[in-house]
Amino acid sequence: MQLKLHGLSLFWCMAKYNITEKKEKEAVYRTLVSPKLMDELKEKILNIIVMQKKYKDKDYSAKRLAEDLGTNTRYVSAVVNVRFHMNYASFINKYRIEEAMSILVDKRYQDLRMEEVSDMVGFANRQSFYAAFYKIMNMTPRDYRIQHFQQHPSQAAKKGRKSKS
């Protein structure tokens, strides 16, 4: 009886506040791109974004990528969503954060400020860098640097050499 009342109460609240249950919807344009074309575009996207390091370009948008591929942004979006399971911004930020992680633990870059690291990997500003880094790593770039710098293999090898002399 209580369950029924609770269910009615929930229904009443949903109706009162015009709340609808979120339904998973499939974007129609995703089904318009054939699997073969998706595979071709996926390889071309990886080549441009990763191999050519376009993720470092602050101004490299999905629109510019689509132009470089000779297609449209809906196709780019569909491929990134279906083949990489994320949106374009998350896809780009993933590679930016991976590179930032390498820079943050590299002794050659230990004196760089976070703004400089952010700029090197393609973020428009420090705030977006911190937000993206935290979203992916669940810690700030500064905390990552502190936590991982001493553990980096290049640092361990140097420590080992110093202690022998």
Side-chain angles (χ1 to χ4, degrees), residues 106-147:
D106 192 320
K107 188 173 174 113
R108 295 173 295 176
Y109 302 114
Q110 71 183 9
D111 295 327
L112 287 181
R113 295 183 344 265
M114 287 302 153
E115 290 82 1
E116 294 168 312
V117 174
S118 168
D119 190 58
M120 283 175 72
V121 299
F123 283 97
N125 57 59
R126 185 178 156 277
Q127 289 78 14
S128 58
F129 172 53
Y130 265 72
F133 198 98
Y134 195 87
K135 182 178 180 184
I136 292 172
M137 297 304 299
N138 209 27
M139 68 174 70
T140 67
R142 183 180 178 280
D143 290 341
Y144 181 85
R145 175 184 265 170
I146 291 166
Q147 185 176 347

mmCIF file of all heavy atoms in Angstrom, residues 106-147:
data_model
loop_
_atom_site.group_PDB
_atom_site.id
_atom_site.type_symbol
_atom_site.label_atom_id
_atom_site.label_comp_id
_atom_site.label_asym_id
_atom_site.label_seq_id
_atom_site.Cartn_x
_atom_site.Cartn_y
_atom_site.Cartn_z
ATOM 1 N N ASP A 106 57.755 15.519 -16.818
ATOM 2 C CA ASP A 106 59.032 15.603 -17.520
ATOM 3 C C ASP A 106 59.906 16.682 -16.881
ATOM 4 O O ASP A 106 59.507 17.839 -16.787
ATOM 5 C CB ASP A 106 58.771 15.921 -18.995
ATOM 6 C CG ASP A 106 60.003 15.753 -19.850
ATOM 7 O OD1 ASP A 106 61.107 16.131 -19.404
ATOM 8 O OD2 ASP A 106 59.862 15.263 -20.983
ATOM 9 N N LYS A 107 61.095 16.292 -16.460
ATOM 10 C CA LYS A 107 62.015 17.210 -15.775
ATOM 11 C C LYS A 107 62.340 18.433 -16.636
ATOM 12 O O LYS A 107 62.529 19.534 -16.110
ATOM 13 C CB LYS A 107 63.302 16.471 -15.396
ATOM 14 C CG LYS A 107 64.211 17.299 -14.512
ATOM 15 C CD LYS A 107 65.377 16.492 -14.014
ATOM 16 C CE LYS A 107 66.322 17.399 -13.279
ATOM 17 N NZ LYS A 107 66.409 17.123 -11.879
ATOM 18 N N ARG A 108 62.369 18.263 -17.946
ATOM 19 C CA ARG A 108 62.671 19.394 -18.839
ATOM 20 C C ARG A 108 61.645 20.514 -18.713
ATOM 21 O O ARG A 108 61.931 21.662 -19.020
ATOM 22 C CB ARG A 108 62.717 18.932 -20.298
ATOM 23 C CG ARG A 108 63.846 17.967 -20.605
ATOM 24 C CD ARG A 108 63.731 17.430 -22.000
ATOM 25 N NE ARG A 108 62.511 16.624 -22.124
ATOM 26 C CZ ARG A 108 62.090 16.076 -23.255
ATOM 27 N NH1 ARG A 108 62.753 16.262 -24.372
ATOM 28 N NH2 ARG A 108 60.996 15.354 -23.278
ATOM 29 N N TYR A 109 60.429 20.159 -18.282
ATOM 30 C CA TYR A 109 59.343 21.146 -18.200
ATOM 31 C C TYR A 109 58.925 21.447 -16.764
ATOM 32 O O TYR A 109 57.888 22.044 -16.529
ATOM 33 C CB TYR A 109 58.122 20.640 -18.976
ATOM 34 C CG TYR A 109 58.409 20.350 -20.428
ATOM 35 C CD1 TYR A 109 58.348 19.040 -20.909
ATOM 36 C CD2 TYR A 109 58.753 21.360 -21.315
ATOM 37 C CE1 TYR A 109 58.605 18.764 -22.244
ATOM 38 C CE2 TYR A 109 59.014 21.093 -22.649
ATOM 39 C CZ TYR A 109 58.944 19.790 -23.099
ATOM 40 O OH TYR A 109 59.205 19.519 -24.411
ATOM 41 N N GLN A 110 59.738 21.061 -15.789
ATOM 42 C CA GLN A 110 59.333 21.197 -14.389
ATOM 43 C C GLN A 110 59.127 22.645 -13.945
ATOM 44 O O GLN A 110 58.403 22.895 -12.987
ATOM 45 C CB GLN A 110 60.320 20.491 -13.468
ATOM 46 C CG GLN A 110 61.676 21.165 -13.351
ATOM 47 C CD GLN A 110 62.619 20.374 -12.479
ATOM 48 O OE1 GLN A 110 62.344 19.248 -12.094
ATOM 49 N NE2 GLN A 110 63.771 20.957 -12.177
ATOM 50 N N ASP A 111 59.742 23.596 -14.644
ATOM 51 C CA ASP A 111 59.599 24.999 -14.251
ATOM 52 C C ASP A 111 58.448 25.708 -14.960
ATOM 53 O O ASP A 111 58.204 26.893 -14.706
ATOM 54 C CB ASP A 111 60.906 25.760 -14.503
ATOM 55 C CG ASP A 111 62.040 25.246 -13.615
ATOM 56 O OD1 ASP A 111 61.745 24.821 -12.473
ATOM 57 O OD2 ASP A 111 63.200 25.247 -14.064
ATOM 58 N N LEU A 112 57.752 25.002 -15.845
ATOM 59 C CA LEU A 112 56.624 25.629 -16.538
ATOM 60 C C LEU A 112 55.456 25.874 -15.588
ATOM 61 O O LEU A 112 55.151 25.035 -14.739
ATOM 62 C CB LEU A 112 56.123 24.737 -17.681
ATOM 63 C CG LEU A 112 56.965 24.627 -18.934
ATOM 64 C CD1 LEU A 112 56.268 23.729 -19.941
ATOM 65 C CD2 LEU A 112 57.244 25.984 -19.554
ATOM 66 N N ARG A 113 54.815 27.013 -15.760
ATOM 67 C CA ARG A 113 53.582 27.296 -15.021
ATOM 68 C C ARG A 113 52.438 26.539 -15.691
ATOM 69 O O ARG A 113 52.531 26.152 -16.862
ATOM 70 C CB ARG A 113 53.290 28.797 -15.036
ATOM 71 C CG ARG A 113 54.330 29.617 -14.288
ATOM 72 C CD ARG A 113 54.020 31.119 -14.230
ATOM 73 N NE ARG A 113 53.022 31.632 -15.142
ATOM 74 C CZ ARG A 113 53.278 32.180 -16.345
ATOM 75 N NH1 ARG A 113 54.518 32.262 -16.785
ATOM 76 N NH2 ARG A 113 52.298 32.630 -17.090
ATOM 77 N N MET A 114 51.361 26.349 -14.965
ATOM 78 C CA MET A 114 50.211 25.613 -15.507
ATOM 79 C C MET A 114 49.634 26.302 -16.741
ATOM 80 O O MET A 114 49.181 25.635 -17.665
ATOM 81 C CB MET A 114 49.115 25.432 -14.450
ATOM 82 C CG MET A 114 49.472 24.431 -13.390
ATOM 83 S SD MET A 114 49.849 22.809 -14.068
ATOM 84 C CE MET A 114 50.931 22.208 -12.812
ATOM 85 N N GLU A 115 49.667 27.629 -16.772
ATOM 86 C CA GLU A 115 49.176 28.372 -17.944
ATOM 87 C C GLU A 115 49.989 28.005 -19.183
ATOM 88 O O GLU A 115 49.445 27.882 -20.278
ATOM 89 C CB GLU A 115 49.255 29.889 -17.717
ATOM 90 C CG GLU A 115 48.278 30.427 -16.711
ATOM 91 C CD GLU A 115 48.725 30.271 -15.248
ATOM 92 O OE1 GLU A 115 49.846 29.750 -14.981
ATOM 93 O OE2 GLU A 115 47.930 30.628 -14.371
ATOM 94 N N GLU A 116 51.288 27.808 -18.993
ATOM 95 C CA GLU A 116 52.155 27.463 -20.116
ATOM 96 C C GLU A 116 51.896 26.035 -20.598
ATOM 97 O O GLU A 116 51.860 25.783 -21.804
ATOM 98 C CB GLU A 116 53.626 27.638 -19.713
ATOM 99 C CG GLU A 116 53.985 29.092 -19.439
ATOM 100 C CD GLU A 116 55.329 29.270 -18.759
ATOM 101 O OE1 GLU A 116 55.594 28.554 -17.761
ATOM 102 O OE2 GLU A 116 56.106 30.125 -19.214
ATOM 103 N N VAL A 117 51.703 25.124 -19.657
ATOM 104 C CA VAL A 117 51.369 23.734 -20.022
ATOM 105 C C VAL A 117 50.031 23.728 -20.759
ATOM 106 O O VAL A 117 49.888 23.114 -21.817
ATOM 107 C CB VAL A 117 51.307 22.813 -18.780
ATOM 108 C CG1 VAL A 117 50.822 21.419 -19.156
ATOM 109 C CG2 VAL A 117 52.661 22.749 -18.089
ATOM 110 N N SER A 118 49.066 24.436 -20.214
ATOM 111 C CA SER A 118 47.738 24.545 -20.809
ATOM 112 C C SER A 118 47.829 25.032 -22.252
ATOM 113 O O SER A 118 47.212 24.469 -23.155
ATOM 114 C CB SER A 118 46.889 25.507 -19.965
ATOM 115 O OG SER A 118 45.712 25.850 -20.620
ATOM 116 N N ASP A 119 48.625 26.062 -22.467
ATOM 117 C CA ASP A 119 48.799 26.639 -23.797
ATOM 118 C C ASP A 119 49.494 25.667 -24.745
ATOM 119 O O ASP A 119 49.107 25.532 -25.910
ATOM 120 C CB ASP A 119 49.600 27.942 -23.691
ATOM 121 C CG ASP A 119 49.617 28.708 -24.982
ATOM 122 O OD1 ASP A 119 48.521 29.054 -25.481
ATOM 123 O OD2 ASP A 119 50.724 28.951 -25.522
ATOM 124 N N MET A 120 50.498 24.969 -24.247
ATOM 125 C CA MET A 120 51.250 24.013 -25.076
ATOM 126 C C MET A 120 50.373 22.907 -25.645
ATOM 127 O O MET A 120 50.599 22.431 -26.750
ATOM 128 C CB MET A 120 52.371 23.352 -24.257
ATOM 129 C CG MET A 120 53.570 24.213 -24.039
ATOM 130 S SD MET A 120 54.768 23.384 -22.953
ATOM 131 C CE MET A 120 55.421 22.104 -24.023
ATOM 132 N N VAL A 121 49.391 22.470 -24.867
ATOM 133 C CA VAL A 121 48.565 21.338 -25.300
ATOM 134 C C VAL A 121 47.265 21.766 -25.984
ATOM 135 O O VAL A 121 46.481 20.924 -26.394
ATOM 136 C CB VAL A 121 48.271 20.356 -24.147
ATOM 137 C CG1 VAL A 121 49.576 19.766 -23.613
ATOM 138 C CG2 VAL A 121 47.457 20.979 -23.033
ATOM 139 N N GLY A 122 47.023 23.080 -26.088
ATOM 140 C CA GLY A 122 45.905 23.543 -26.903
ATOM 141 C C GLY A 122 44.690 24.099 -26.193
ATOM 142 O O GLY A 122 43.686 24.388 -26.839
ATOM 143 N N PHE A 123 44.754 24.277 -24.884
ATOM 144 C CA PHE A 123 43.608 24.854 -24.193
ATOM 145 C C PHE A 123 43.621 26.370 -24.342
ATOM 146 O O PHE A 123 44.690 26.988 -24.359
ATOM 147 C CB PHE A 123 43.595 24.460 -22.713
ATOM 148 C CG PHE A 123 43.128 23.064 -22.491
ATOM 149 C CD1 PHE A 123 44.030 22.025 -22.340
ATOM 150 C CD2 PHE A 123 41.765 22.759 -22.450
ATOM 151 C CE1 PHE A 123 43.602 20.723 -22.151
ATOM 152 C CE2 PHE A 123 41.328 21.459 -22.260
ATOM 153 C CZ PHE A 123 42.251 20.442 -22.112
ATOM 154 N N ALA A 124 42.437 26.953 -24.412
ATOM 155 C CA ALA A 124 42.311 28.399 -24.579
ATOM 156 C C ALA A 124 42.663 29.143 -23.297
ATOM 157 O O ALA A 124 43.129 30.274 -23.344
ATOM 158 C CB ALA A 124 40.896 28.760 -25.026
ATOM 159 N N ASN A 125 42.438 28.498 -22.157
ATOM 160 C CA ASN A 125 42.744 29.156 -20.886
ATOM 161 C C ASN A 125 42.985 28.120 -19.791
ATOM 162 O O ASN A 125 42.679 26.944 -19.955
ATOM 163 C CB ASN A 125 41.624 30.124 -20.480
ATOM 164 C CG ASN A 125 40.295 29.430 -20.375
ATOM 165 O OD1 ASN A 125 40.108 28.493 -19.606
ATOM 166 N ND2 ASN A 125 39.328 29.879 -21.174
ATOM 167 N N ARG A 126 43.528 28.599 -18.689
ATOM 168 C CA ARG A 126 43.870 27.736 -17.566
ATOM 169 C C ARG A 126 42.636 27.071 -16.964
ATOM 170 O O ARG A 126 42.677 25.904 -16.567
ATOM 171 C CB ARG A 126 44.611 28.566 -16.514
ATOM 172 C CG ARG A 126 45.142 27.800 -15.351
ATOM 173 C CD ARG A 126 45.903 28.747 -14.411
ATOM 174 N NE ARG A 126 45.956 28.238 -13.072
ATOM 175 C CZ ARG A 126 45.005 28.368 -12.150
ATOM 176 N NH1 ARG A 126 43.912 29.005 -12.420
ATOM 177 N NH2 ARG A 126 45.151 27.856 -10.965
ATOM 178 N N GLN A 127 41.537 27.803 -16.897
ATOM 179 C CA GLN A 127 40.321 27.262 -16.284
ATOM 180 C C GLN A 127 39.786 26.051 -17.052
ATOM 181 O O GLN A 127 39.418 25.051 -16.447
ATOM 182 C CB GLN A 127 39.229 28.342 -16.189
ATOM 183 C CG GLN A 127 39.502 29.412 -15.172
ATOM 184 C CD GLN A 127 40.526 30.460 -15.645
ATOM 185 O OE1 GLN A 127 40.856 30.542 -16.823
ATOM 186 N NE2 GLN A 127 41.037 31.249 -14.715
ATOM 187 N N SER A 128 39.760 26.150 -18.374
ATOM 188 C CA SER A 128 39.259 25.007 -19.150
ATOM 189 C C SER A 128 40.223 23.826 -19.056
ATOM 190 O O SER A 128 39.811 22.669 -19.040
ATOM 191 C CB SER A 128 38.989 25.389 -20.608
ATOM 192 O OG SER A 128 40.136 25.897 -21.224
ATOM 193 N N PHE A 129 41.522 24.113 -18.945
ATOM 194 C CA PHE A 129 42.520 23.062 -18.748
ATOM 195 C C PHE A 129 42.279 22.340 -17.431
ATOM 196 O O PHE A 129 42.198 21.112 -17.379
ATOM 197 C CB PHE A 129 43.927 23.683 -18.788
ATOM 198 C CG PHE A 129 45.041 22.753 -18.402
ATOM 199 C CD1 PHE A 129 45.193 21.513 -19.013
ATOM 200 C CD2 PHE A 129 45.982 23.128 -17.440
ATOM 201 C CE1 PHE A 129 46.239 20.655 -18.670
ATOM 202 C CE2 PHE A 129 47.034 22.288 -17.093
ATOM 203 C CZ PHE A 129 47.156 21.054 -17.706
ATOM 204 N N TYR A 130 42.126 23.098 -16.353
ATOM 205 C CA TYR A 130 41.879 22.508 -15.039
ATOM 206 C C TYR A 130 40.587 21.693 -15.034
ATOM 207 O O TYR A 130 40.550 20.582 -14.503
ATOM 208 C CB TYR A 130 41.837 23.583 -13.947
ATOM 209 C CG TYR A 130 43.152 23.776 -13.239
ATOM 210 C CD1 TYR A 130 44.225 24.396 -13.874
ATOM 211 C CD2 TYR A 130 43.336 23.326 -11.944
ATOM 212 C CE1 TYR A 130 45.435 24.564 -13.233
ATOM 213 C CE2 TYR A 130 44.542 23.490 -11.282
ATOM 214 C CZ TYR A 130 45.593 24.112 -11.935
ATOM 215 O OH TYR A 130 46.794 24.263 -11.294
ATOM 216 N N ALA A 131 39.533 22.239 -15.632
ATOM 217 C CA ALA A 131 38.235 21.551 -15.643
ATOM 218 C C ALA A 131 38.333 20.225 -16.399
ATOM 219 O O ALA A 131 37.869 19.186 -15.923
ATOM 220 C CB ALA A 131 37.163 22.438 -16.256
ATOM 221 N N ALA A 132 38.959 20.248 -17.579
ATOM 222 C CA ALA A 132 39.091 19.029 -18.377
ATOM 223 C C ALA A 132 40.004 18.023 -17.692
ATOM 224 O O ALA A 132 39.721 16.816 -17.679
ATOM 225 C CB ALA A 132 39.628 19.364 -19.770
ATOM 226 N N PHE A 133 41.093 18.501 -17.120
ATOM 227 C CA PHE A 133 42.031 17.611 -16.431
ATOM 228 C C PHE A 133 41.337 16.931 -15.260
ATOM 229 O O PHE A 133 41.433 15.717 -15.090
ATOM 230 C CB PHE A 133 43.259 18.395 -15.941
ATOM 231 C CG PHE A 133 44.435 17.516 -15.610
ATOM 232 C CD1 PHE A 133 45.455 17.348 -16.525
ATOM 233 C CD2 PHE A 133 44.528 16.852 -14.395
ATOM 234 C CE1 PHE A 133 46.552 16.530 -16.238
ATOM 235 C CE2 PHE A 133 45.608 16.037 -14.091
ATOM 236 C CZ PHE A 133 46.621 15.876 -15.021
ATOM 237 N N TYR A 134 40.627 17.710 -14.476
ATOM 238 C CA TYR A 134 39.942 17.156 -13.305
ATOM 239 C C TYR A 134 38.858 16.156 -13.717
ATOM 240 O O TYR A 134 38.695 15.114 -13.080
ATOM 241 C CB TYR A 134 39.328 18.275 -12.453
ATOM 242 C CG TYR A 134 38.946 17.795 -11.081
ATOM 243 C CD1 TYR A 134 39.872 17.807 -10.048
ATOM 244 C CD2 TYR A 134 37.682 17.289 -10.818
ATOM 245 C CE1 TYR A 134 39.545 17.338 -8.774
ATOM 246 C CE2 TYR A 134 37.335 16.815 -9.558
ATOM 247 C CZ TYR A 134 38.274 16.840 -8.547
ATOM 248 O OH TYR A 134 37.947 16.369 -7.311
ATOM 249 N N LYS A 135 38.161 16.461 -14.792
ATOM 250 C CA LYS A 135 37.094 15.566 -15.269
ATOM 251 C C LYS A 135 37.664 14.201 -15.659
ATOM 252 O O LYS A 135 37.077 13.159 -15.361
ATOM 253 C CB LYS A 135 36.386 16.196 -16.472
ATOM 254 C CG LYS A 135 35.236 15.388 -17.010
ATOM 255 C CD LYS A 135 34.563 16.083 -18.169
ATOM 256 C CE LYS A 135 33.415 15.258 -18.700
ATOM 257 N NZ LYS A 135 32.810 15.864 -19.881
ATOM 258 N N ILE A 136 38.832 14.188 -16.273
ATOM 259 C CA ILE A 136 39.439 12.939 -16.738
ATOM 260 C C ILE A 136 40.238 12.238 -15.636
ATOM 261 O O ILE A 136 40.147 11.026 -15.462
ATOM 262 C CB ILE A 136 40.337 13.202 -17.976
ATOM 263 C CG1 ILE A 136 39.448 13.598 -19.164
ATOM 264 C CG2 ILE A 136 41.187 11.984 -18.320
ATOM 265 C CD1 ILE A 136 40.194 14.079 -20.386
ATOM 266 N N MET A 137 41.007 13.012 -14.863
ATOM 267 C CA MET A 137 41.941 12.423 -13.899
ATOM 268 C C MET A 137 41.459 12.461 -12.448
ATOM 269 O O MET A 137 42.080 11.878 -11.577
ATOM 270 C CB MET A 137 43.303 13.114 -13.997
ATOM 271 C CG MET A 137 43.982 12.942 -15.343
ATOM 272 S SD MET A 137 44.192 11.214 -15.798
ATOM 273 C CE MET A 137 45.219 10.628 -14.467
ATOM 274 N N ASN A 138 40.404 13.195 -12.193
ATOM 275 C CA ASN A 138 39.855 13.334 -10.841
ATOM 276 C C ASN A 138 40.860 13.966 -9.870
ATOM 277 O O ASN A 138 40.880 13.654 -8.675
ATOM 278 C CB ASN A 138 39.343 11.991 -10.317
ATOM 279 C CG ASN A 138 38.205 12.167 -9.343
ATOM 280 O OD1 ASN A 138 37.469 13.147 -9.404
ATOM 281 N ND2 ASN A 138 38.058 11.223 -8.438
ATOM 282 N N MET A 139 41.725 14.814 -10.401
ATOM 283 C CA MET A 139 42.672 15.596 -9.602
ATOM 284 C C MET A 139 43.127 16.773 -10.454
ATOM 285 O O MET A 139 42.972 16.758 -11.671
ATOM 286 C CB MET A 139 43.873 14.765 -9.142
ATOM 287 C CG MET A 139 44.814 14.317 -10.237
ATOM 288 S SD MET A 139 46.302 13.487 -9.637
ATOM 289 C CE MET A 139 45.649 11.960 -9.028
ATOM 290 N N THR A 140 43.684 17.787 -9.820
ATOM 291 C CA THR A 140 44.155 18.950 -10.569
ATOM 292 C C THR A 140 45.503 18.630 -11.235
ATOM 293 O O THR A 140 46.205 17.718 -10.792
ATOM 294 C CB THR A 140 44.347 20.173 -9.646
ATOM 295 O OG1 THR A 140 45.416 19.890 -8.749
ATOM 296 C CG2 THR A 140 43.065 20.514 -8.895
ATOM 297 N N PRO A 141 45.861 19.386 -12.270
ATOM 298 C CA PRO A 141 47.173 19.170 -12.896
ATOM 299 C C PRO A 141 48.321 19.371 -11.895
ATOM 300 O O PRO A 141 49.299 18.633 -11.923
ATOM 301 C CB PRO A 141 47.226 20.232 -13.995
ATOM 302 C CG PRO A 141 45.828 20.638 -14.224
ATOM 303 C CD PRO A 141 45.071 20.397 -12.972
ATOM 304 N N ARG A 142 48.175 20.338 -11.016
ATOM 305 C CA ARG A 142 49.208 20.594 -10.009
ATOM 306 C C ARG A 142 49.365 19.376 -9.097
ATOM 307 O O ARG A 142 50.485 18.932 -8.827
ATOM 308 C CB ARG A 142 48.842 21.838 -9.193
ATOM 309 C CG ARG A 142 49.884 22.209 -8.174
ATOM 310 C CD ARG A 142 49.455 23.460 -7.387
ATOM 311 N NE ARG A 142 50.433 23.792 -6.382
ATOM 312 C CZ ARG A 142 50.533 23.193 -5.199
ATOM 313 N NH1 ARG A 142 49.690 22.245 -4.871
ATOM 314 N NH2 ARG A 142 51.465 23.535 -4.337
ATOM 315 N N ASP A 143 48.246 18.822 -8.623
ATOM 316 C CA ASP A 143 48.302 17.633 -7.775
ATOM 317 C C ASP A 143 48.911 16.448 -8.524
ATOM 318 O O ASP A 143 49.675 15.672 -7.961
ATOM 319 C CB ASP A 143 46.914 17.264 -7.248
ATOM 320 C CG ASP A 143 46.393 18.264 -6.227
ATOM 321 O OD1 ASP A 143 47.202 19.028 -5.661
ATOM 322 O OD2 ASP A 143 45.166 18.281 -6.006
ATOM 323 N N TYR A 144 48.571 16.323 -9.806
ATOM 324 C CA TYR A 144 49.129 15.242 -10.623
ATOM 325 C C TYR A 144 50.651 15.380 -10.704
ATOM 326 O O TYR A 144 51.380 14.404 -10.545
ATOM 327 C CB TYR A 144 48.510 15.264 -12.030
ATOM 328 C CG TYR A 144 49.035 14.156 -12.909
ATOM 329 C CD1 TYR A 144 48.463 12.889 -12.873
ATOM 330 C CD2 TYR A 144 50.117 14.369 -13.755
ATOM 331 C CE1 TYR A 144 48.950 11.857 -13.660
ATOM 332 C CE2 TYR A 144 50.616 13.345 -14.548
ATOM 333 C CZ TYR A 144 50.027 12.089 -14.492
ATOM 334 O OH TYR A 144 50.525 11.076 -15.266
ATOM 335 N N ARG A 145 51.116 16.597 -10.963
ATOM 336 C CA ARG A 145 52.558 16.840 -11.077
ATOM 337 C C ARG A 145 53.258 16.458 -9.768
ATOM 338 O O ARG A 145 54.259 15.748 -9.769
ATOM 339 C CB ARG A 145 52.839 18.294 -11.409
ATOM 340 C CG ARG A 145 54.321 18.630 -11.428
ATOM 341 C CD ARG A 145 54.553 20.091 -11.664
ATOM 342 N NE ARG A 145 54.791 20.333 -13.084
ATOM 343 C CZ ARG A 145 54.841 21.545 -13.621
ATOM 344 N NH1 ARG A 145 54.621 22.619 -12.904
ATOM 345 N NH2 ARG A 145 55.103 21.674 -14.907
ATOM 346 N N ILE A 146 52.725 16.912 -8.655
ATOM 347 C CA ILE A 146 53.324 16.628 -7.347
ATOM 348 C C ILE A 146 53.339 15.125 -7.077
ATOM 349 O O ILE A 146 54.343 14.567 -6.660
ATOM 350 C CB ILE A 146 52.565 17.380 -6.225
ATOM 351 C CG1 ILE A 146 52.809 18.880 -6.362
ATOM 352 C CG2 ILE A 146 52.977 16.874 -4.855
ATOM 353 C CD1 ILE A 146 51.856 19.738 -5.537
ATOM 354 N N GLN A 147 52.229 14.476 -7.354
ATOM 355 C CA GLN A 147 52.091 13.048 -7.051
ATOM 356 C C GLN A 147 52.943 12.170 -7.957
ATOM 357 O O GLN A 147 53.473 11.158 -7.523
ATOM 358 C CB GLN A 147 50.616 12.648 -7.173
ATOM 359 C CG GLN A 147 50.327 11.226 -6.763
ATOM 360 C CD GLN A 147 48.834 10.929 -6.806
ATOM 361 O OE1 GLN A 147 48.002 11.813 -6.905
ATOM 362 N NE2 GLN A 147 48.497 9.666 -6.750
#
